[in-house]
Amino acid sequence: MKAMKWFAVTYIVAAGIPCFAQSQSTSPLDEIVVTAKSLEENLPQQLSQYGTHLDTISAAQIQNGGYIDVASALEALAPGLYVSSRNGPFDYVQISLQGSRTEDVLWLVDGIRINNRLYAGTTPLDTIPSSMVERIEVLDGGQALYYGTQAVAGAVNIVTKSFSDHPDGAVSVGGDSNNGKQVQGYFRDTLGNNHFVVYALHDESSGIQPLPDADYQPSGTDRHRSYKVTTIGGKYVYDITDSLSLSASYQHTNANLDFAQPMLTANAFNQRNEDLVSTRLDYTPSEEFKFYIKDYYHWWISHYTEYDNGSTPYSYTPGTPGQINVASDRDFWGYKDYGINLLTQIAVNRGFEYLAGYDFQNYSGRDAVLVIQQQTEHVNAFFGQVRTTPDLIPDAHLAAGVRYNIPSIGQSALVWNGSGKYDFSKAVFLKASAGTSFRLPTDEELFANDPEDERGNPNLKPETSRFANVSVGGAAAILDMTLKWELIGFYRDIKNLIDFRSFDSTTNQVVFGNDPATVTVHGVELALETAITTTLSGTFNATYSHARQTGSDLQFDQVPVTQMKAGLDYHPNDVPFGATVTVVHLGDLDDEPLGAGDGRYGYGNYTVVDLGGRIFLDPGRRHRIDLHLNNAFNKTYHSGLGHGVNDDTGDPYVVHDLALRRTFSAYYTYKF
């Protein structure tokens, strides 16, 4: 039996867009081989073999493109995934995966759920730097079977630095034209049965102007959005035997993030502290039996402070310059989330594999700003799946499973999933997956009680959805090139949609409820990849989505109809440099910003080009300089819409968030 290996988590990227190579000379079409035997770490690759579409983005792709946070990397590189950062790096984002809403995507770090259960639309991407990433795995289609709530359209797993069987490390320093500064480093090694990796990084910037001049009121004097993010982390594995190991990981993030507003504020910011801790026991005596049990603790704390111009909080009287009042003083909002997950995989008879697991999550949170009192809820879930192997049906992998969720608040949910992949030949395959998913109500939707604003509803039903993804793909020889291609069709509907449904005139509050209408999404995605020459490779992805609510002919808010991403990477082995070009085109979007009055407003329809170059200063390629020009043609476009209030009249109006302007950055890296 082979000894357990925790380094170089390697796998074959099947029917997705594989990552660009870590080596300068390797083509992105090359296979990435994973030797880690952890059942949890290999789960996304197993799901890909059984019909789920998987895209993988590597650390090399991110470094070559000069993307300093995970959101900007996904915005440029992830096929089928629309990501729009509100005002540059480390900010709130809008997301759509194959026509989904932001709240329909589950986020994980090393397999741990990190979604903010206080608010459905508040993603965790504003504090995740890219330099700690080994790879990012994007799973399309409903993923509730293994991952639970909120994986309605898919799941994104951010894998931090992996282990190595030899000493390996790097340090990097750099900056950008937005007064940004970055320093980061990592080291990993194996000593006997001990494997470890440590990393640390710091990003800061005085930022960009987040809104157009015309959108600011005289009372809004804070006109630059800054950020400061520091992250430290480490992972450790001890091999007790060749088949039994114990691992532990810890990550801490401290951040100070400005919150841009068009009026009132002299300064507004969140001070964030986040800890992610987990331990896992893996037992893998053979390929016929695999087991792990894992616990985790996620502590997410934010304190909001706002200084307003004027004599009273949240209001401004024209003609009172110089007066500052404290609207919020380190007001708390946060949560803690801990749980246990176990999974076993057994092959007791020829042609079949069986998986069974248990998932427990305990969640508690509160918000002093929106007024969500301290609440605690927990969920127990039992799930299982049966798979066939090619011993039963040659060239086929079929699977079917169910999951039963029992929340302490609200109704239980039963979901199912069926999927499969069939290889007609080495050149053509067919993939399909179908099933149901769900999203449990958030704390805001259940328990909010903000005077003169909104109120939650403890009797909400979970949102439920059905989905189907079907794709055909393969590889074709064209001239001297090998073209990898995949055409994907997707369908999804969502019922029991949670939204504001009524108004209580007694308390002057809007109240959450379940909307009887159904949201229906369908569309198509095309992914292409080829090695044009031995030193030049290219990728192309285009997505069309049609997202409508019952009775409406309008595209769902914040969901793009079309998007396109393309890239070229030049990676010669005989000269000391390389280059990358990335193009992102987004079609039309519409939104009805809350608080901006009646009306639907359009934005989007832009094309952004990123350029990157790398120079190696020595034959061993240990010394490297990266130069990047993001938004190379300085395209001015809006990343989202919000609302403001006129200082003089009190009338609401639409505010336009500005995306990152043209930014030049330079970084030096020493690899040892």
Side-chain angles (χ1 to χ4, degrees), residues 90 127-132 160 183-185 198-203 228-234 250-255 274:
F90 302 106
T127 53
I128 303 183
S130 63
S131 51
M132 72 179 192
T160 59
V183 57
Q184 63 94 11
V198 293
Y199 52 87
L201 46 139
H202 176 81
D203 293 275
K228 185 181 294 184
V229 181
T230 302
T231 300
I232 60 171
Y250 173 73
Q251 182 174 295
H252 172 76
T253 298
N254 178 273
E274 184 176 9

PDB file of all heavy atoms in Angstrom, residues 90 127-132 160 183-185 198-203 228-234 250-255 274:
ATOM      1  N   PHE A  90     -11.145  43.804  -2.381  1.00  0.00           N
ATOM      2  CA  PHE A  90     -11.578  43.684  -0.989  1.00  0.00           C
ATOM      3  C   PHE A  90     -12.834  44.519  -0.702  1.00  0.00           C
ATOM      4  O   PHE A  90     -12.880  45.344   0.208  1.00  0.00           O
ATOM      5  CB  PHE A  90     -10.436  44.080  -0.037  1.00  0.00           C
ATOM      6  CG  PHE A  90      -9.195  43.253  -0.218  1.00  0.00           C
ATOM      7  CD1 PHE A  90      -8.073  43.775  -0.848  1.00  0.00           C
ATOM      8  CD2 PHE A  90      -9.154  41.942   0.225  1.00  0.00           C
ATOM      9  CE1 PHE A  90      -6.929  43.009  -1.022  1.00  0.00           C
ATOM     10  CE2 PHE A  90      -8.017  41.169   0.054  1.00  0.00           C
ATOM     11  CZ  PHE A  90      -6.900  41.696  -0.575  1.00  0.00           C
ATOM     12  N   THR A 127     -12.504  39.752   2.172  1.00  0.00           N
ATOM     13  CA  THR A 127     -11.317  39.578   3.020  1.00  0.00           C
ATOM     14  C   THR A 127     -10.498  38.353   2.616  1.00  0.00           C
ATOM     15  O   THR A 127      -9.804  37.776   3.447  1.00  0.00           O
ATOM     16  CB  THR A 127     -11.706  39.461   4.506  1.00  0.00           C
ATOM     17  OG1 THR A 127     -12.693  38.429   4.662  1.00  0.00           O
ATOM     18  CG2 THR A 127     -12.247  40.762   5.049  1.00  0.00           C
ATOM     19  N   ILE A 128     -10.554  37.936   1.342  1.00  0.00           N
ATOM     20  CA  ILE A 128      -9.800  36.757   0.916  1.00  0.00           C
ATOM     21  C   ILE A 128      -8.769  37.180  -0.128  1.00  0.00           C
ATOM     22  O   ILE A 128      -9.092  37.366  -1.301  1.00  0.00           O
ATOM     23  CB  ILE A 128     -10.715  35.665   0.340  1.00  0.00           C
ATOM     24  CG1 ILE A 128     -11.772  35.269   1.374  1.00  0.00           C
ATOM     25  CG2 ILE A 128      -9.899  34.443  -0.062  1.00  0.00           C
ATOM     26  CD1 ILE A 128     -12.676  34.153   0.934  1.00  0.00           C
ATOM     27  N   PRO A 129      -7.502  37.327   0.266  1.00  0.00           N
ATOM     28  CA  PRO A 129      -6.451  37.665  -0.697  1.00  0.00           C
ATOM     29  C   PRO A 129      -6.115  36.474  -1.576  1.00  0.00           C
ATOM     30  O   PRO A 129      -6.344  35.318  -1.208  1.00  0.00           O
ATOM     31  CB  PRO A 129      -5.273  38.064   0.196  1.00  0.00           C
ATOM     32  CG  PRO A 129      -5.521  37.352   1.486  1.00  0.00           C
ATOM     33  CD  PRO A 129      -7.004  37.229   1.648  1.00  0.00           C
ATOM     34  N   SER A 130      -5.555  36.748  -2.726  1.00  0.00           N
ATOM     35  CA  SER A 130      -5.299  35.674  -3.689  1.00  0.00           C
ATOM     36  C   SER A 130      -3.974  34.961  -3.459  1.00  0.00           C
ATOM     37  O   SER A 130      -3.805  33.816  -3.885  1.00  0.00           O
ATOM     38  CB  SER A 130      -5.317  36.245  -5.106  1.00  0.00           C
ATOM     39  OG  SER A 130      -4.278  37.203  -5.272  1.00  0.00           O
ATOM     40  N   SER A 131      -3.028  35.603  -2.809  1.00  0.00           N
ATOM     41  CA  SER A 131      -1.693  35.015  -2.713  1.00  0.00           C
ATOM     42  C   SER A 131      -1.617  33.838  -1.756  1.00  0.00           C
ATOM     43  O   SER A 131      -0.599  33.158  -1.701  1.00  0.00           O
ATOM     44  CB  SER A 131      -0.668  36.085  -2.315  1.00  0.00           C
ATOM     45  OG  SER A 131      -1.086  36.789  -1.174  1.00  0.00           O
ATOM     46  N   MET A 132      -2.675  33.554  -0.993  1.00  0.00           N
ATOM     47  CA  MET A 132      -2.675  32.372  -0.134  1.00  0.00           C
ATOM     48  C   MET A 132      -3.271  31.161  -0.854  1.00  0.00           C
ATOM     49  O   MET A 132      -3.339  30.070  -0.301  1.00  0.00           O
ATOM     50  CB  MET A 132      -3.488  32.640   1.123  1.00  0.00           C
ATOM     51  CG  MET A 132      -4.982  32.718   0.901  1.00  0.00           C
ATOM     52  SD  MET A 132      -5.881  33.009   2.439  1.00  0.00           S
ATOM     53  CE  MET A 132      -7.564  32.685   1.910  1.00  0.00           C
ATOM     54  N   THR A 160      -6.283  26.644   0.043  1.00  0.00           N
ATOM     55  CA  THR A 160      -5.092  27.383   0.428  1.00  0.00           C
ATOM     56  C   THR A 160      -3.837  26.560   0.150  1.00  0.00           C
ATOM     57  O   THR A 160      -3.904  25.407  -0.270  1.00  0.00           O
ATOM     58  CB  THR A 160      -5.154  27.777   1.910  1.00  0.00           C
ATOM     59  OG1 THR A 160      -5.272  26.589   2.714  1.00  0.00           O
ATOM     60  CG2 THR A 160      -6.360  28.666   2.181  1.00  0.00           C
ATOM     61  N   VAL A 183       2.897  42.674   0.651  1.00  0.00           N
ATOM     62  CA  VAL A 183       4.015  41.821   1.014  1.00  0.00           C
ATOM     63  C   VAL A 183       3.436  40.477   1.420  1.00  0.00           C
ATOM     64  O   VAL A 183       2.430  40.413   2.133  1.00  0.00           O
ATOM     65  CB  VAL A 183       4.868  42.440   2.144  1.00  0.00           C
ATOM     66  CG1 VAL A 183       4.016  42.742   3.384  1.00  0.00           C
ATOM     67  CG2 VAL A 183       6.030  41.535   2.498  1.00  0.00           C
ATOM     68  N   GLN A 184       4.015  39.400   0.941  1.00  0.00           N
ATOM     69  CA  GLN A 184       3.479  38.079   1.253  1.00  0.00           C
ATOM     70  C   GLN A 184       4.577  37.041   1.153  1.00  0.00           C
ATOM     71  O   GLN A 184       5.592  37.241   0.480  1.00  0.00           O
ATOM     72  CB  GLN A 184       2.315  37.725   0.325  1.00  0.00           C
ATOM     73  CG  GLN A 184       2.671  37.608  -1.135  1.00  0.00           C
ATOM     74  CD  GLN A 184       3.001  36.199  -1.592  1.00  0.00           C
ATOM     75  OE1 GLN A 184       2.784  35.234  -0.861  1.00  0.00           O
ATOM     76  NE2 GLN A 184       3.543  36.079  -2.802  1.00  0.00           N
ATOM     77  N   GLY A 185       4.356  35.914   1.834  1.00  0.00           N
ATOM     78  CA  GLY A 185       5.315  34.826   1.779  1.00  0.00           C
ATOM     79  C   GLY A 185       4.724  33.537   2.313  1.00  0.00           C
ATOM     80  O   GLY A 185       3.705  33.542   3.016  1.00  0.00           O
ATOM     81  N   VAL A 198       3.076  27.208   6.116  1.00  0.00           N
ATOM     82  CA  VAL A 198       2.687  28.457   6.779  1.00  0.00           C
ATOM     83  C   VAL A 198       2.700  29.571   5.727  1.00  0.00           C
ATOM     84  O   VAL A 198       3.473  29.532   4.766  1.00  0.00           O
ATOM     85  CB  VAL A 198       3.629  28.816   7.945  1.00  0.00           C
ATOM     86  CG1 VAL A 198       3.482  27.817   9.074  1.00  0.00           C
ATOM     87  CG2 VAL A 198       5.085  28.884   7.484  1.00  0.00           C
ATOM     88  N   TYR A 199       1.813  30.553   5.900  1.00  0.00           N
ATOM     89  CA  TYR A 199       1.776  31.677   4.976  1.00  0.00           C
ATOM     90  C   TYR A 199       1.323  32.925   5.718  1.00  0.00           C
ATOM     91  O   TYR A 199       0.623  32.863   6.748  1.00  0.00           O
ATOM     92  CB  TYR A 199       0.848  31.388   3.788  1.00  0.00           C
ATOM     93  CG  TYR A 199      -0.546  30.930   4.149  1.00  0.00           C
ATOM     94  CD1 TYR A 199      -1.572  31.848   4.388  1.00  0.00           C
ATOM     95  CD2 TYR A 199      -0.852  29.579   4.256  1.00  0.00           C
ATOM     96  CE1 TYR A 199      -2.849  31.437   4.714  1.00  0.00           C
ATOM     97  CE2 TYR A 199      -2.120  29.151   4.581  1.00  0.00           C
ATOM     98  CZ  TYR A 199      -3.116  30.075   4.808  1.00  0.00           C
ATOM     99  OH  TYR A 199      -4.388  29.662   5.140  1.00  0.00           O
ATOM    100  N   ALA A 200       1.739  34.073   5.201  1.00  0.00           N
ATOM    101  CA  ALA A 200       1.348  35.367   5.769  1.00  0.00           C
ATOM    102  C   ALA A 200       1.357  36.394   4.649  1.00  0.00           C
ATOM    103  O   ALA A 200       2.189  36.329   3.732  1.00  0.00           O
ATOM    104  CB  ALA A 200       2.307  35.782   6.881  1.00  0.00           C
ATOM    105  N   LEU A 201       0.428  37.349   4.712  1.00  0.00           N
ATOM    106  CA  LEU A 201       0.350  38.368   3.675  1.00  0.00           C
ATOM    107  C   LEU A 201      -0.336  39.610   4.203  1.00  0.00           C
ATOM    108  O   LEU A 201      -1.135  39.554   5.148  1.00  0.00           O
ATOM    109  CB  LEU A 201      -0.398  37.846   2.457  1.00  0.00           C
ATOM    110  CG  LEU A 201      -1.703  37.093   2.720  1.00  0.00           C
ATOM    111  CD1 LEU A 201      -2.751  37.481   1.721  1.00  0.00           C
ATOM    112  CD2 LEU A 201      -1.422  35.592   2.619  1.00  0.00           C
ATOM    113  N   HIS A 202       0.015  40.721   3.579  1.00  0.00           N
ATOM    114  CA  HIS A 202      -0.573  42.005   3.961  1.00  0.00           C
ATOM    115  C   HIS A 202      -0.814  42.827   2.702  1.00  0.00           C
ATOM    116  O   HIS A 202       0.078  42.987   1.863  1.00  0.00           O
ATOM    117  CB  HIS A 202       0.358  42.759   4.905  1.00  0.00           C
ATOM    118  CG  HIS A 202      -0.143  44.137   5.266  1.00  0.00           C
ATOM    119  ND1 HIS A 202      -1.101  44.344   6.238  1.00  0.00           N
ATOM    120  CD2 HIS A 202       0.162  45.367   4.766  1.00  0.00           C
ATOM    121  CE1 HIS A 202      -1.361  45.643   6.327  1.00  0.00           C
ATOM    122  NE2 HIS A 202      -0.614  46.277   5.449  1.00  0.00           N
ATOM    123  N   ASP A 203      -2.039  43.338   2.553  1.00  0.00           N
ATOM    124  CA  ASP A 203      -2.416  44.214   1.441  1.00  0.00           C
ATOM    125  C   ASP A 203      -3.014  45.489   2.012  1.00  0.00           C
ATOM    126  O   ASP A 203      -3.838  45.439   2.935  1.00  0.00           O
ATOM    127  CB  ASP A 203      -3.459  43.537   0.550  1.00  0.00           C
ATOM    128  CG  ASP A 203      -2.923  42.337  -0.197  1.00  0.00           C
ATOM    129  OD1 ASP A 203      -2.345  42.523  -1.277  1.00  0.00           O
ATOM    130  OD2 ASP A 203      -3.099  41.212   0.302  1.00  0.00           O
ATOM    131  N   LYS A 228      -7.206  47.666   4.230  1.00  0.00           N
ATOM    132  CA  LYS A 228      -6.003  47.128   4.857  1.00  0.00           C
ATOM    133  C   LYS A 228      -6.347  45.729   5.348  1.00  0.00           C
ATOM    134  O   LYS A 228      -7.220  45.553   6.196  1.00  0.00           O
ATOM    135  CB  LYS A 228      -5.541  48.012   6.019  1.00  0.00           C
ATOM    136  CG  LYS A 228      -4.222  47.590   6.645  1.00  0.00           C
ATOM    137  CD  LYS A 228      -3.848  48.519   7.807  1.00  0.00           C
ATOM    138  CE  LYS A 228      -3.572  49.925   7.304  1.00  0.00           C
ATOM    139  NZ  LYS A 228      -3.108  50.808   8.422  1.00  0.00           N
ATOM    140  N   VAL A 229      -5.695  44.715   4.782  1.00  0.00           N
ATOM    141  CA  VAL A 229      -6.024  43.321   5.068  1.00  0.00           C
ATOM    142  C   VAL A 229      -4.746  42.558   5.400  1.00  0.00           C
ATOM    143  O   VAL A 229      -3.786  42.582   4.619  1.00  0.00           O
ATOM    144  CB  VAL A 229      -6.726  42.652   3.867  1.00  0.00           C
ATOM    145  CG1 VAL A 229      -7.071  41.198   4.195  1.00  0.00           C
ATOM    146  CG2 VAL A 229      -7.984  43.420   3.481  1.00  0.00           C
ATOM    147  N   THR A 230      -4.742  41.880   6.549  1.00  0.00           N
ATOM    148  CA  THR A 230      -3.614  41.046   6.964  1.00  0.00           C
ATOM    149  C   THR A 230      -4.122  39.642   7.260  1.00  0.00           C
ATOM    150  O   THR A 230      -5.094  39.477   8.001  1.00  0.00           O
ATOM    151  CB  THR A 230      -2.924  41.611   8.215  1.00  0.00           C
ATOM    152  OG1 THR A 230      -2.476  42.941   7.941  1.00  0.00           O
ATOM    153  CG2 THR A 230      -1.729  40.751   8.621  1.00  0.00           C
ATOM    154  N   THR A 231      -3.466  38.644   6.675  1.00  0.00           N
ATOM    155  CA  THR A 231      -3.867  37.253   6.870  1.00  0.00           C
ATOM    156  C   THR A 231      -2.648  36.412   7.213  1.00  0.00           C
ATOM    157  O   THR A 231      -1.593  36.544   6.581  1.00  0.00           O
ATOM    158  CB  THR A 231      -4.520  36.683   5.598  1.00  0.00           C
ATOM    159  OG1 THR A 231      -5.685  37.449   5.281  1.00  0.00           O
ATOM    160  CG2 THR A 231      -4.930  35.231   5.795  1.00  0.00           C
ATOM    161  N   ILE A 232      -2.794  35.553   8.227  1.00  0.00           N
ATOM    162  CA  ILE A 232      -1.776  34.561   8.545  1.00  0.00           C
ATOM    163  C   ILE A 232      -2.464  33.205   8.632  1.00  0.00           C
ATOM    164  O   ILE A 232      -3.639  33.110   8.995  1.00  0.00           O
ATOM    165  CB  ILE A 232      -1.039  34.872   9.863  1.00  0.00           C
ATOM    166  CG1 ILE A 232      -2.027  34.915  11.035  1.00  0.00           C
ATOM    167  CG2 ILE A 232      -0.273  36.175   9.769  1.00  0.00           C
ATOM    168  CD1 ILE A 232      -1.353  35.012  12.397  1.00  0.00           C
ATOM    169  N   GLY A 233      -1.745  32.161   8.272  1.00  0.00           N
ATOM    170  CA  GLY A 233      -2.354  30.844   8.320  1.00  0.00           C
ATOM    171  C   GLY A 233      -1.320  29.742   8.291  1.00  0.00           C
ATOM    172  O   GLY A 233      -0.141  29.964   7.997  1.00  0.00           O
ATOM    173  N   GLY A 234      -1.771  28.550   8.620  1.00  0.00           N
ATOM    174  CA  GLY A 234      -0.899  27.397   8.583  1.00  0.00           C
ATOM    175  C   GLY A 234      -1.695  26.113   8.587  1.00  0.00           C
ATOM    176  O   GLY A 234      -2.846  26.067   9.051  1.00  0.00           O
ATOM    177  N   TYR A 250      -5.293  26.531  10.681  1.00  0.00           N
ATOM    178  CA  TYR A 250      -5.734  27.761  11.335  1.00  0.00           C
ATOM    179  C   TYR A 250      -5.464  28.931  10.401  1.00  0.00           C
ATOM    180  O   TYR A 250      -4.415  28.992   9.755  1.00  0.00           O
ATOM    181  CB  TYR A 250      -4.992  27.990  12.648  1.00  0.00           C
ATOM    182  CG  TYR A 250      -5.288  29.346  13.272  1.00  0.00           C
ATOM    183  CD1 TYR A 250      -6.510  29.600  13.875  1.00  0.00           C
ATOM    184  CD2 TYR A 250      -4.341  30.376  13.226  1.00  0.00           C
ATOM    185  CE1 TYR A 250      -6.791  30.850  14.429  1.00  0.00           C
ATOM    186  CE2 TYR A 250      -4.608  31.620  13.778  1.00  0.00           C
ATOM    187  CZ  TYR A 250      -5.836  31.851  14.381  1.00  0.00           C
ATOM    188  OH  TYR A 250      -6.118  33.079  14.920  1.00  0.00           O
ATOM    189  N   GLN A 251      -6.429  29.846  10.332  1.00  0.00           N
ATOM    190  CA  GLN A 251      -6.256  31.056   9.537  1.00  0.00           C
ATOM    191  C   GLN A 251      -6.903  32.230  10.259  1.00  0.00           C
ATOM    192  O   GLN A 251      -8.038  32.127  10.737  1.00  0.00           O
ATOM    193  CB  GLN A 251      -6.880  30.879   8.152  1.00  0.00           C
ATOM    194  CG  GLN A 251      -6.699  32.075   7.237  1.00  0.00           C
ATOM    195  CD  GLN A 251      -7.196  31.797   5.839  1.00  0.00           C
ATOM    196  OE1 GLN A 251      -6.655  30.955   5.130  1.00  0.00           O
ATOM    197  NE2 GLN A 251      -8.245  32.499   5.423  1.00  0.00           N
ATOM    198  N   HIS A 252      -6.164  33.328  10.332  1.00  0.00           N
ATOM    199  CA  HIS A 252      -6.685  34.542  10.971  1.00  0.00           C
ATOM    200  C   HIS A 252      -6.569  35.706   9.994  1.00  0.00           C
ATOM    201  O   HIS A 252      -5.537  35.878   9.335  1.00  0.00           O
ATOM    202  CB  HIS A 252      -5.914  34.873  12.243  1.00  0.00           C
ATOM    203  CG  HIS A 252      -6.293  36.210  12.828  1.00  0.00           C
ATOM    204  ND1 HIS A 252      -7.465  36.415  13.513  1.00  0.00           N
ATOM    205  CD2 HIS A 252      -5.664  37.420  12.777  1.00  0.00           C
ATOM    206  CE1 HIS A 252      -7.550  37.682  13.887  1.00  0.00           C
ATOM    207  NE2 HIS A 252      -6.470  38.310  13.457  1.00  0.00           N
ATOM    208  N   THR A 253      -7.621  36.500   9.915  1.00  0.00           N
ATOM    209  CA  THR A 253      -7.636  37.688   9.067  1.00  0.00           C
ATOM    210  C   THR A 253      -8.056  38.897   9.887  1.00  0.00           C
ATOM    211  O   THR A 253      -9.035  38.846  10.637  1.00  0.00           O
ATOM    212  CB  THR A 253      -8.606  37.523   7.881  1.00  0.00           C
ATOM    213  OG1 THR A 253      -8.175  36.431   7.074  1.00  0.00           O
ATOM    214  CG2 THR A 253      -8.646  38.780   7.031  1.00  0.00           C
ATOM    215  N   ASN A 254      -7.298  39.955   9.750  1.00  0.00           N
ATOM    216  CA  ASN A 254      -7.632  41.241  10.353  1.00  0.00           C
ATOM    217  C   ASN A 254      -7.739  42.261   9.222  1.00  0.00           C
ATOM    218  O   ASN A 254      -6.844  42.345   8.385  1.00  0.00           O
ATOM    219  CB  ASN A 254      -6.558  41.657  11.355  1.00  0.00           C
ATOM    220  CG  ASN A 254      -6.846  43.023  11.963  1.00  0.00           C
ATOM    221  OD1 ASN A 254      -6.466  44.038  11.404  1.00  0.00           O
ATOM    222  ND2 ASN A 254      -7.496  43.040  13.112  1.00  0.00           N
ATOM    223  N   ALA A 255      -8.839  43.011   9.183  1.00  0.00           N
ATOM    224  CA  ALA A 255      -9.053  43.920   8.056  1.00  0.00           C
ATOM    225  C   ALA A 255      -9.713  45.206   8.519  1.00  0.00           C
ATOM    226  O   ALA A 255     -10.503  45.221   9.468  1.00  0.00           O
ATOM    227  CB  ALA A 255      -9.914  43.246   6.984  1.00  0.00           C
ATOM    228  N   GLU A 274     -11.464  37.686  11.738  1.00  0.00           N
ATOM    229  CA  GLU A 274     -12.021  36.412  11.316  1.00  0.00           C
ATOM    230  C   GLU A 274     -11.030  35.295  11.617  1.00  0.00           C
ATOM    231  O   GLU A 274      -9.839  35.409  11.330  1.00  0.00           O
ATOM    232  CB  GLU A 274     -12.329  36.448   9.816  1.00  0.00           C
ATOM    233  CG  GLU A 274     -12.992  35.201   9.287  1.00  0.00           C
ATOM    234  CD  GLU A 274     -13.374  35.328   7.819  1.00  0.00           C
ATOM    235  OE1 GLU A 274     -12.971  36.329   7.178  1.00  0.00           O
ATOM    236  OE2 GLU A 274     -14.078  34.443   7.306  1.00  0.00           O
TER     237      GLU A 274
END
